[in-house]
Amino acid sequence: MLSLKTTWTVSAALITLALAACGGEKAAPAAPAAASGAASSVSVDTEKKDIKIGTTVGDFGDMVKESIKPILEKEGYTVTLTEFTDYVTPNQALAEGAVDVNVFQHKPYFDSFIAEHKLDLVTGFQVPTAPLGLYPGKVASLNDVKEGSTVSVPNDPSNFARALVMLNELGWIKLKDNVDPLKASKADIAENIKKINLVEMEAANLPRSRQDVDFAIVNGNYAMSSGMKLTEALYQEPSYAYVNWGAFRTADKDSKWAQDVVNAYKSEEFKKYALVKFAGYKYPVEWNIANNGASGSGPAAPVAASTASAAQ
């Protein structure tokens, strides 16, 4: 687990759940991690004018700094950004009140995390999301895959499942029939057709792994924050189930400031900015804009726009 730019302590039990689905302007004050199983009981101020947003490092933070913060400042708010370097702390920070809204996770991960830790959180809006992609490592083409090829993959359950689905789509492995694609695991591999050697590691380390493996399956936010280009991907997942969401404490979701945050992310100003800055991303479903990501190469290029809807 990489260290945070903020001073946090996270238990080993939480780390094992780390997702997929990304230094702040001002670090949130240090706070003890909430005990597992404890629901949030943070008091709310519906007239507040200071909004603390937590994101993972990279594109979601850039969206805040370059567009969302200026939009909210026009409405009279003071916006503080904290960028985290793991997928566990942002939900704990939100539940504890260290941040007011977080943006970093897809719905399958959110649902699993809050159920496991009994946090009183709710999703509020979708955000443009760089899709999971398979990138070249020591091998530059899908056609050059061979028996025993090494593929680095995210080690958290949610993104590991996505990686398996991608390898199944490529025809490199075969998953069992009727497997839930959101929960696929090693036990669901019916046949390892290409004898792929899966190298599991924390999602943030995947970009650096490319020099040591034949291929790397990298989360979009980490690909972008490490200087990789979406157009470098040899294959991208077509599903829209992993478009990421912003989340609030349930007690805050109907407050004026929370709705102003939602409106900022749904505004035409933000949409125009995102379509230029984040070309190739998967966009919120309600935008009705097809994915413009890399079309892939080789015999298993993905569909440009999936008909699958986002998980609700």
Side-chain angles (χ1 to χ4, degrees):
M1 168 96 36
L2 297 175
S3 61
L4 296 176
K5 293 185 180 182
T6 49
T7 54
W8 292 90
T9 301
V10 182
S11 69
L14 288 175
I15 293 174
T16 61
L17 236 158
L19 175 120
C22 278
E25 294 179 1
K26 181 178 179 183
S36 177
S40 169
S41 59
V42 177
S43 61
V44 296
D45 177 4
T46 57
E47 302 303 318
K48 66 184 295 175
K49 284 295 183 180
D50 296 324
I51 300 175
K52 294 172 288 186
I53 302 177
T55 71
T56 38
V57 174
D59 48 6
F60 297 130
D62 291 342
M63 291 175 196
V64 173
K65 289 179 282 190
E66 297 171 3
S67 184
I68 297 302
K69 180 177 179 180
I71 290 172
L72 289 171
E73 286 178 339
K74 293 176 189 176
E75 299 294 324
Y77 292 99
T78 298
V79 178
T80 302
L81 172 67
T82 297
E83 292 180 285
F84 300 94
T85 55
D86 73 285
Y87 289 125
V88 173
T89 317
N91 279 332
Q92 293 292 341
L94 179 59
E96 295 162 8
V99 298
D100 300 309
V101 53
N102 68 35
V103 181
F104 79 102
Q105 63 197 320
H106 54 63
K107 195 65 163 50
Y109 177 73
F110 173 84
D111 291 341
S112 174
F113 194 97
I114 65 170
E116 175 72 19
H117 300 287
K118 297 180 174 61
L119 301 180
D120 195 11
L121 308 179
V122 64
T123 55
F125 55 91
Q126 287 188 314
V127 294
T129 306
L132 190 74
L134 183 140
Y135 292 84
K138 293 186 290 185
V139 176
S141 171
L142 295 179
N143 293 326
D144 294 329
V145 65
K146 59 183 182 299
E147 287 195 1
S149 287
T150 53
V151 180
S152 58
V153 296
N155 64 0
D156 62 276
S158 178
N159 287 301
F160 185 74
R162 296 168 73 186
L164 292 182
V165 170
M166 183 178 291
L167 294 174
N168 181 75
E169 292 169 341
L170 286 165
W172 295 3
I173 68 171
K174 179 176 175 54
L175 292 174
K176 296 176 181 177
D177 293 337
N178 302 317
V179 167
D180 183 346
L182 302 181
K183 299 179 181 179
S185 68
K186 278 185 177 179
D188 296 313
I189 299 175
E191 182 181 0
N192 190 343
I193 298 168
K194 293 292 186 180
K195 305 294 190 294
I196 297 298
N197 179 19
L198 298 175
V199 182
E200 300 176 50
M201 61 182 64
E202 195 163 336
N205 296 329
L206 289 166
R208 292 193 295 271
S209 74
R210 295 171 69 191
Q211 63 184 356
D212 300 317
V213 296
D214 296 317
F215 303 95
I217 295 180
V218 184
N219 294 80
N221 61 305
Y222 286 126
M224 296 295 290
S225 64
S226 67
M228 296 164 62
K229 297 179 180 179
L230 295 182
T231 52
E232 295 177 31
L234 302 176
Y235 188 85
Q236 289 180 346
E237 65 181 356
S239 173
Y240 275 70
Y242 300 100
V243 174
N244 285 17
W245 290 78
F248 299 99
R249 290 179 293 275
T250 301
D252 289 336
K253 67 182 179 65
D254 294 324
S255 65
K256 183 180 184 304
W257 66 264
Q259 289 307 304
D260 285 342
V261 171
V262 172
N263 291 336
Y265 275 97
K266 292 185 176 183
S267 68
E268 285 300 314
E269 182 176 347
F270 175 68
K271 183 187 294 187
K272 290 177 181 178
Y273 154 81
L275 291 176
V276 173
K277 178 66 181 285
F278 302 106
Y281 276 44
K282 279 187 164 62
Y283 303 114
V285 173
E286 66 181 24
W287 289 12
N288 295 316
I289 297 174
N291 175 44
N292 295 316
S295 61
S297 61
V303 178
S306 171
T307 57
S309 62
Q312 298 298 325

mmCIF file of all heavy atoms in Angstrom, residues 193-224:
data_model
loop_
_atom_site.group_PDB
_atom_site.id
_atom_site.type_symbol
_atom_site.label_atom_id
_atom_site.label_comp_id
_atom_site.label_asym_id
_atom_site.label_seq_id
_atom_site.Cartn_x
_atom_site.Cartn_y
_atom_site.Cartn_z
ATOM 1 N N ILE A 193 -6.509 -21.067 -21.102
ATOM 2 C CA ILE A 193 -6.203 -21.474 -22.476
ATOM 3 C C ILE A 193 -4.771 -21.154 -22.865
ATOM 4 O O ILE A 193 -4.069 -21.986 -23.459
ATOM 5 C CB ILE A 193 -7.190 -20.788 -23.446
ATOM 6 C CG1 ILE A 193 -8.624 -21.236 -23.129
ATOM 7 C CG2 ILE A 193 -6.833 -21.097 -24.899
ATOM 8 C CD1 ILE A 193 -9.688 -20.418 -23.834
ATOM 9 N N LYS A 194 -4.305 -19.949 -22.539
ATOM 10 C CA LYS A 194 -2.953 -19.521 -22.893
ATOM 11 C C LYS A 194 -1.947 -19.746 -21.760
ATOM 12 O O LYS A 194 -0.811 -19.288 -21.844
ATOM 13 C CB LYS A 194 -2.955 -18.037 -23.280
ATOM 14 C CG LYS A 194 -3.710 -17.728 -24.558
ATOM 15 C CD LYS A 194 -3.008 -18.311 -25.776
ATOM 16 C CE LYS A 194 -3.691 -17.880 -27.066
ATOM 17 N NZ LYS A 194 -3.027 -18.447 -28.262
ATOM 18 N N LYS A 195 -2.381 -20.464 -20.729
ATOM 19 C CA LYS A 195 -1.509 -20.708 -19.562
ATOM 20 C C LYS A 195 -0.957 -19.380 -19.019
ATOM 21 O O LYS A 195 0.217 -19.259 -18.667
ATOM 22 C CB LYS A 195 -0.340 -21.630 -19.948
ATOM 23 C CG LYS A 195 -0.766 -22.942 -20.580
ATOM 24 C CD LYS A 195 -1.524 -23.820 -19.604
ATOM 25 C CE LYS A 195 -1.743 -25.228 -20.136
ATOM 26 N NZ LYS A 195 -2.636 -25.260 -21.331
ATOM 27 N N ILE A 196 -1.836 -18.402 -18.946
ATOM 28 C CA ILE A 196 -1.445 -17.063 -18.501
ATOM 29 C C ILE A 196 -0.967 -17.103 -17.052
ATOM 30 O O ILE A 196 -1.607 -17.706 -16.182
ATOM 31 C CB ILE A 196 -2.615 -16.074 -18.631
ATOM 32 C CG1 ILE A 196 -3.030 -15.924 -20.096
ATOM 33 C CG2 ILE A 196 -2.271 -14.720 -18.026
ATOM 34 C CD1 ILE A 196 -1.960 -15.373 -21.002
ATOM 35 N N ASN A 197 0.147 -16.439 -16.793
ATOM 36 C CA ASN A 197 0.673 -16.305 -15.436
ATOM 37 C C ASN A 197 0.219 -14.950 -14.903
ATOM 38 O O ASN A 197 0.724 -13.907 -15.333
ATOM 39 C CB ASN A 197 2.202 -16.391 -15.447
ATOM 40 C CG ASN A 197 2.798 -16.228 -14.064
ATOM 41 O OD1 ASN A 197 2.122 -16.387 -13.053
ATOM 42 N ND2 ASN A 197 4.074 -15.875 -14.014
ATOM 43 N N LEU A 198 -0.764 -14.966 -13.983
ATOM 44 C CA LEU A 198 -1.296 -13.733 -13.427
ATOM 45 C C LEU A 198 -0.391 -13.217 -12.313
ATOM 46 O O LEU A 198 -0.102 -13.934 -11.355
ATOM 47 C CB LEU A 198 -2.704 -13.967 -12.874
ATOM 48 C CG LEU A 198 -3.763 -14.410 -13.891
ATOM 49 C CD1 LEU A 198 -5.073 -14.717 -13.181
ATOM 50 C CD2 LEU A 198 -3.965 -13.354 -14.962
ATOM 51 N N VAL A 199 0.058 -11.986 -12.452
ATOM 52 C CA VAL A 199 0.923 -11.348 -11.451
ATOM 53 C C VAL A 199 0.081 -10.296 -10.740
ATOM 54 O O VAL A 199 -0.167 -9.209 -11.270
ATOM 55 C CB VAL A 199 2.157 -10.709 -12.106
ATOM 56 C CG1 VAL A 199 3.057 -10.097 -11.037
ATOM 57 C CG2 VAL A 199 2.915 -11.734 -12.940
ATOM 58 N N GLU A 200 -0.391 -10.624 -9.550
ATOM 59 C CA GLU A 200 -1.296 -9.735 -8.820
ATOM 60 C C GLU A 200 -0.515 -8.701 -8.024
ATOM 61 O O GLU A 200 0.476 -9.018 -7.369
ATOM 62 C CB GLU A 200 -2.177 -10.550 -7.875
ATOM 63 C CG GLU A 200 -3.038 -11.590 -8.580
ATOM 64 C CD GLU A 200 -3.825 -12.446 -7.610
ATOM 65 O OE1 GLU A 200 -4.495 -11.870 -6.726
ATOM 66 O OE2 GLU A 200 -3.761 -13.687 -7.717
ATOM 67 N N MET A 201 -0.989 -7.456 -8.093
ATOM 68 C CA MET A 201 -0.353 -6.389 -7.319
ATOM 69 C C MET A 201 -1.331 -5.247 -7.105
ATOM 70 O O MET A 201 -2.391 -5.200 -7.726
ATOM 71 C CB MET A 201 0.909 -5.875 -8.027
ATOM 72 C CG MET A 201 0.677 -5.268 -9.397
ATOM 73 S SD MET A 201 2.240 -4.743 -10.167
ATOM 74 C CE MET A 201 3.070 -6.329 -10.335
ATOM 75 N N GLU A 202 -0.978 -4.342 -6.202
ATOM 76 C CA GLU A 202 -1.824 -3.200 -5.927
ATOM 77 C C GLU A 202 -1.977 -2.362 -7.187
ATOM 78 O O GLU A 202 -1.025 -2.167 -7.951
ATOM 79 C CB GLU A 202 -1.234 -2.369 -4.795
ATOM 80 C CG GLU A 202 -2.215 -1.377 -4.210
ATOM 81 C CD GLU A 202 -1.764 -0.862 -2.853
ATOM 82 O OE1 GLU A 202 -0.991 -1.553 -2.174
ATOM 83 O OE2 GLU A 202 -2.213 0.236 -2.490
ATOM 84 N N ALA A 203 -3.174 -1.857 -7.407
ATOM 85 C CA ALA A 203 -3.492 -1.169 -8.660
ATOM 86 C C ALA A 203 -2.542 -0.021 -8.966
ATOM 87 O O ALA A 203 -2.166 0.195 -10.122
ATOM 88 C CB ALA A 203 -4.934 -0.665 -8.607
ATOM 89 N N ALA A 204 -2.135 0.727 -7.945
ATOM 90 C CA ALA A 204 -1.260 1.881 -8.169
ATOM 91 C C ALA A 204 0.098 1.495 -8.728
ATOM 92 O O ALA A 204 0.784 2.319 -9.335
ATOM 93 C CB ALA A 204 -1.088 2.651 -6.864
ATOM 94 N N ASN A 205 0.510 0.250 -8.532
ATOM 95 C CA ASN A 205 1.826 -0.193 -8.988
ATOM 96 C C ASN A 205 1.816 -0.789 -10.391
ATOM 97 O O ASN A 205 2.872 -1.108 -10.946
ATOM 98 C CB ASN A 205 2.390 -1.234 -8.009
ATOM 99 C CG ASN A 205 2.642 -0.649 -6.640
ATOM 100 O OD1 ASN A 205 2.956 0.529 -6.502
ATOM 101 N ND2 ASN A 205 2.505 -1.466 -5.604
ATOM 102 N N LEU A 206 0.641 -0.943 -10.975
ATOM 103 C CA LEU A 206 0.542 -1.608 -12.279
ATOM 104 C C LEU A 206 1.278 -0.876 -13.406
ATOM 105 O O LEU A 206 1.920 -1.529 -14.233
ATOM 106 C CB LEU A 206 -0.924 -1.809 -12.641
ATOM 107 C CG LEU A 206 -1.637 -2.874 -11.797
ATOM 108 C CD1 LEU A 206 -3.149 -2.762 -11.973
ATOM 109 C CD2 LEU A 206 -1.170 -4.281 -12.180
ATOM 110 N N PRO A 207 1.212 0.464 -13.487
ATOM 111 C CA PRO A 207 1.963 1.120 -14.571
ATOM 112 C C PRO A 207 3.455 0.807 -14.539
ATOM 113 O O PRO A 207 4.072 0.572 -15.584
ATOM 114 C CB PRO A 207 1.697 2.607 -14.328
ATOM 115 C CG PRO A 207 0.361 2.636 -13.659
ATOM 116 C CD PRO A 207 0.379 1.424 -12.744
ATOM 117 N N ARG A 208 4.036 0.740 -13.343
ATOM 118 C CA ARG A 208 5.470 0.465 -13.234
ATOM 119 C C ARG A 208 5.808 -0.996 -13.515
ATOM 120 O O ARG A 208 6.967 -1.335 -13.748
ATOM 121 C CB ARG A 208 5.961 0.844 -11.834
ATOM 122 C CG ARG A 208 5.923 2.334 -11.558
ATOM 123 C CD ARG A 208 6.706 2.675 -10.290
ATOM 124 N NE ARG A 208 6.103 2.091 -9.113
ATOM 125 C CZ ARG A 208 5.167 2.678 -8.384
ATOM 126 N NH1 ARG A 208 4.704 3.855 -8.749
ATOM 127 N NH2 ARG A 208 4.676 2.104 -7.318
ATOM 128 N N SER A 209 4.778 -1.841 -13.486
ATOM 129 C CA SER A 209 5.034 -3.273 -13.677
ATOM 130 C C SER A 209 5.280 -3.637 -15.135
ATOM 131 O O SER A 209 5.729 -4.735 -15.439
ATOM 132 C CB SER A 209 3.834 -4.091 -13.173
ATOM 133 O OG SER A 209 2.731 -4.001 -14.080
ATOM 134 N N ARG A 210 4.979 -2.718 -16.044
ATOM 135 C CA ARG A 210 5.002 -3.057 -17.458
ATOM 136 C C ARG A 210 6.380 -3.519 -17.950
ATOM 137 O O ARG A 210 6.476 -4.326 -18.874
ATOM 138 C CB ARG A 210 4.537 -1.856 -18.291
ATOM 139 C CG ARG A 210 3.091 -1.481 -18.030
ATOM 140 C CD ARG A 210 2.727 -0.168 -18.684
ATOM 141 N NE ARG A 210 2.709 -0.268 -20.144
ATOM 142 C CZ ARG A 210 2.623 0.779 -20.948
ATOM 143 N NH1 ARG A 210 2.578 2.010 -20.444
ATOM 144 N NH2 ARG A 210 2.592 0.614 -22.255
ATOM 145 N N GLN A 211 7.424 -3.020 -17.342
ATOM 146 C CA GLN A 211 8.765 -3.414 -17.771
ATOM 147 C C GLN A 211 9.114 -4.849 -17.367
ATOM 148 O O GLN A 211 10.071 -5.423 -17.890
ATOM 149 C CB GLN A 211 9.809 -2.461 -17.184
ATOM 150 C CG GLN A 211 9.877 -2.478 -15.662
ATOM 151 C CD GLN A 211 10.848 -1.447 -15.110
ATOM 152 O OE1 GLN A 211 11.541 -0.747 -15.845
ATOM 153 N NE2 GLN A 211 10.909 -1.347 -13.782
ATOM 154 N N ASP A 212 8.318 -5.425 -16.481
ATOM 155 C CA ASP A 212 8.639 -6.760 -15.958
ATOM 156 C C ASP A 212 7.680 -7.850 -16.435
ATOM 157 O O ASP A 212 7.896 -9.020 -16.144
ATOM 158 C CB ASP A 212 8.628 -6.725 -14.424
ATOM 159 C CG ASP A 212 9.631 -5.746 -13.853
ATOM 160 O OD1 ASP A 212 10.772 -5.712 -14.358
ATOM 161 O OD2 ASP A 212 9.274 -5.011 -12.914
ATOM 162 N N VAL A 213 6.611 -7.471 -17.136
ATOM 163 C CA VAL A 213 5.616 -8.457 -17.577
ATOM 164 C C VAL A 213 5.363 -8.295 -19.067
ATOM 165 O O VAL A 213 5.760 -7.300 -19.685
ATOM 166 C CB VAL A 213 4.289 -8.298 -16.796
ATOM 167 C CG1 VAL A 213 4.493 -8.581 -15.317
ATOM 168 C CG2 VAL A 213 3.697 -6.903 -17.013
ATOM 169 N N ASP A 214 4.685 -9.271 -19.643
ATOM 170 C CA ASP A 214 4.369 -9.186 -21.074
ATOM 171 C C ASP A 214 3.238 -8.190 -21.333
ATOM 172 O O ASP A 214 3.278 -7.432 -22.311
ATOM 173 C CB ASP A 214 3.984 -10.570 -21.603
ATOM 174 C CG ASP A 214 5.143 -11.555 -21.525
ATOM 175 O OD1 ASP A 214 6.274 -11.164 -21.855
ATOM 176 O OD2 ASP A 214 4.909 -12.713 -21.108
ATOM 177 N N PHE A 215 2.238 -8.210 -20.477
ATOM 178 C CA PHE A 215 1.108 -7.297 -20.593
ATOM 179 C C PHE A 215 0.699 -6.842 -19.191
ATOM 180 O O PHE A 215 0.947 -7.556 -18.212
ATOM 181 C CB PHE A 215 -0.097 -7.971 -21.260
ATOM 182 C CG PHE A 215 0.174 -8.549 -22.620
ATOM 183 C CD1 PHE A 215 0.512 -9.890 -22.760
ATOM 184 C CD2 PHE A 215 0.083 -7.761 -23.764
ATOM 185 C CE1 PHE A 215 0.760 -10.445 -24.011
ATOM 186 C CE2 PHE A 215 0.330 -8.305 -25.018
ATOM 187 C CZ PHE A 215 0.674 -9.644 -25.147
ATOM 188 N N ALA A 216 0.055 -5.671 -19.122
ATOM 189 C CA ALA A 216 -0.431 -5.177 -17.836
ATOM 190 C C ALA A 216 -1.864 -4.686 -17.997
ATOM 191 O O ALA A 216 -2.169 -3.953 -18.942
ATOM 192 C CB ALA A 216 0.449 -4.042 -17.318
ATOM 193 N N ILE A 217 -2.739 -5.114 -17.099
ATOM 194 C CA ILE A 217 -4.108 -4.615 -17.070
ATOM 195 C C ILE A 217 -4.156 -3.507 -16.025
ATOM 196 O O ILE A 217 -3.990 -3.752 -14.834
ATOM 197 C CB ILE A 217 -5.107 -5.740 -16.753
ATOM 198 C CG1 ILE A 217 -5.104 -6.772 -17.893
ATOM 199 C CG2 ILE A 217 -6.507 -5.181 -16.533
ATOM 200 C CD1 ILE A 217 -6.052 -7.937 -17.695
ATOM 201 N N VAL A 218 -4.351 -2.266 -16.493
ATOM 202 C CA VAL A 218 -4.170 -1.088 -15.655
ATOM 203 C C VAL A 218 -5.469 -0.303 -15.543
ATOM 204 O O VAL A 218 -6.153 -0.059 -16.540
ATOM 205 C CB VAL A 218 -3.072 -0.173 -16.232
ATOM 206 C CG1 VAL A 218 -2.813 1.018 -15.299
ATOM 207 C CG2 VAL A 218 -1.779 -0.958 -16.469
ATOM 208 N N ASN A 219 -5.787 0.115 -14.328
ATOM 209 C CA ASN A 219 -6.933 0.996 -14.104
ATOM 210 C C ASN A 219 -6.690 2.319 -14.815
ATOM 211 O O ASN A 219 -5.585 2.860 -14.806
ATOM 212 C CB ASN A 219 -7.123 1.249 -12.612
ATOM 213 C CG ASN A 219 -7.502 -0.009 -11.880
ATOM 214 O OD1 ASN A 219 -6.642 -0.819 -11.572
ATOM 215 N ND2 ASN A 219 -8.773 -0.187 -11.606
ATOM 216 N N GLY A 220 -7.749 2.860 -15.417
ATOM 217 C CA GLY A 220 -7.605 4.047 -16.230
ATOM 218 C C GLY A 220 -7.013 5.232 -15.503
ATOM 219 O O GLY A 220 -6.176 5.954 -16.051
ATOM 220 N N ASN A 221 -7.441 5.453 -14.246
ATOM 221 C CA ASN A 221 -6.931 6.617 -13.527
ATOM 222 C C ASN A 221 -5.437 6.517 -13.280
ATOM 223 O O ASN A 221 -4.696 7.497 -13.378
ATOM 224 C CB ASN A 221 -7.679 6.806 -12.206
ATOM 225 C CG ASN A 221 -7.538 5.629 -11.269
ATOM 226 O OD1 ASN A 221 -7.848 4.493 -11.643
ATOM 227 N ND2 ASN A 221 -7.085 5.861 -10.055
ATOM 228 N N TYR A 222 -4.956 5.314 -12.972
ATOM 229 C CA TYR A 222 -3.524 5.141 -12.731
ATOM 230 C C TYR A 222 -2.729 5.185 -14.026
ATOM 231 O O TYR A 222 -1.575 5.619 -14.047
ATOM 232 C CB TYR A 222 -3.266 3.841 -11.976
ATOM 233 C CG TYR A 222 -3.654 3.929 -10.523
ATOM 234 C CD1 TYR A 222 -4.525 3.004 -9.951
ATOM 235 C CD2 TYR A 222 -3.174 4.953 -9.707
ATOM 236 C CE1 TYR A 222 -4.899 3.097 -8.621
ATOM 237 C CE2 TYR A 222 -3.546 5.053 -8.384
ATOM 238 C CZ TYR A 222 -4.403 4.123 -7.842
ATOM 239 O OH TYR A 222 -4.780 4.226 -6.528
ATOM 240 N N ALA A 223 -3.345 4.742 -15.112
ATOM 241 C CA ALA A 223 -2.688 4.863 -16.415
ATOM 242 C C ALA A 223 -2.461 6.341 -16.732
ATOM 243 O O ALA A 223 -1.355 6.753 -17.108
ATOM 244 C CB ALA A 223 -3.528 4.204 -17.500
ATOM 245 N N MET A 224 -3.501 7.140 -16.566
ATOM 246 C CA MET A 224 -3.403 8.556 -16.897
ATOM 247 C C MET A 224 -2.443 9.293 -15.971
ATOM 248 O O MET A 224 -1.624 10.091 -16.418
ATOM 249 C CB MET A 224 -4.787 9.194 -16.825
ATOM 250 C CG MET A 224 -5.783 8.647 -17.842
ATOM 251 S SD MET A 224 -5.315 8.997 -19.540
ATOM 252 C CE MET A 224 -5.595 10.771 -19.595
#
